[in-house]
Amino acid sequence: MSSKGFKLRLVIGWMVGVMLVISLPLGLVWKQYAYVNLSRDLLAAEKERGRLQNEVMLLETEVRALARPSRLESLARDRFGLVDPGPPILIQPEGQVLAGTSGSNGADTMNTASWRGNNAWRTDGF
C-alpha cells in the first residue's frame, strides 16, 4: 500500500503543479484584461469630465448674461411692464425757492412740484 499511496501523492502533486503552471499565464491575461477595462473606464470618465466642464462654463456664461443690468432692465420693461420714470422730480413747499437753480422758480433746470401741508409724496417710484 505504500507504493500505491506514494503514486497517488505523486499524481496529485503533478496535478497541483500543472494547475499552478496553467494559472500563471491565466493570471497575467486577467491582469491585462483588468488593465484594459480600467483604462477604458478612465478615458470615458475623462470625456465625461470634459463634457461637464464645458457645460459648467456655458452655464456660468449664461448666469453672467442673466445678471447684466441691461438684461434685467429689459426683462423688467418687457415682462413686468415697468417704465423708466425719467428724471427725479423735486418737491418743495409752496413759496420756497430752490438753492442753486436758475430762473425765478427753478422750473427751467429741474422738474419741481409743490405740496400743501406737512406730508411729502414720492414721485420717482419706490
Side-chain angles (χ1 to χ4, degrees):
M1 239 171 134
S2 70
S3 80
K4 211 176 194 187
F6 178 71
K7 286 183 183 181
L8 185 60
R9 285 184 187 163
L10 186 64
V11 169
I12 291 176
W14 272 102
M15 286 176 65
V16 169
V18 168
M19 291 296 243
L20 284 174
V21 169
I22 291 174
S23 67
L24 286 175
L26 186 63
L28 290 174
V29 169
W30 176 81
K31 182 178 129 182
Q32 289 175 348
Y33 178 75
Y35 177 78
V36 168
N37 278 340
L38 290 174
S39 296
R40 286 182 190 155
D41 291 344
L42 180 63
L43 287 174
E46 286 177 354
K47 285 180 183 178
E48 181 70 14
R49 182 180 60 97
R51 187 186 66 76
L52 289 174
Q53 280 180 335
N54 290 342
E55 191 173 331
V56 164
M57 286 191 300
L58 179 65
L59 288 173
E60 286 175 349
T61 304
E62 287 179 11
V63 165
R64 273 188 249 118
L66 289 173
R68 282 192 320 232
S70 60
R71 185 182 183 289
L72 293 175
E73 183 180 351
S74 67
L75 273 176
R77 288 177 190 213
D78 297 341
R79 269 199 193 161
F80 306 118
L82 299 178
V83 294
D84 187 16
I89 298 174
L90 181 64
I91 298 177
Q92 67 178 13
E94 265 189 55
Q96 187 178 26
V97 178
L98 297 173
T101 59
S102 63
S104 62
N105 62 0
D108 54 341
T109 58
M110 63 177 65
N111 295 332
T112 61
S114 53
W115 78 91
R116 296 177 191 228
N118 295 330
N119 297 329
W121 298 90
R122 290 184 63 134
T123 60
D124 62 349
F126 293 100

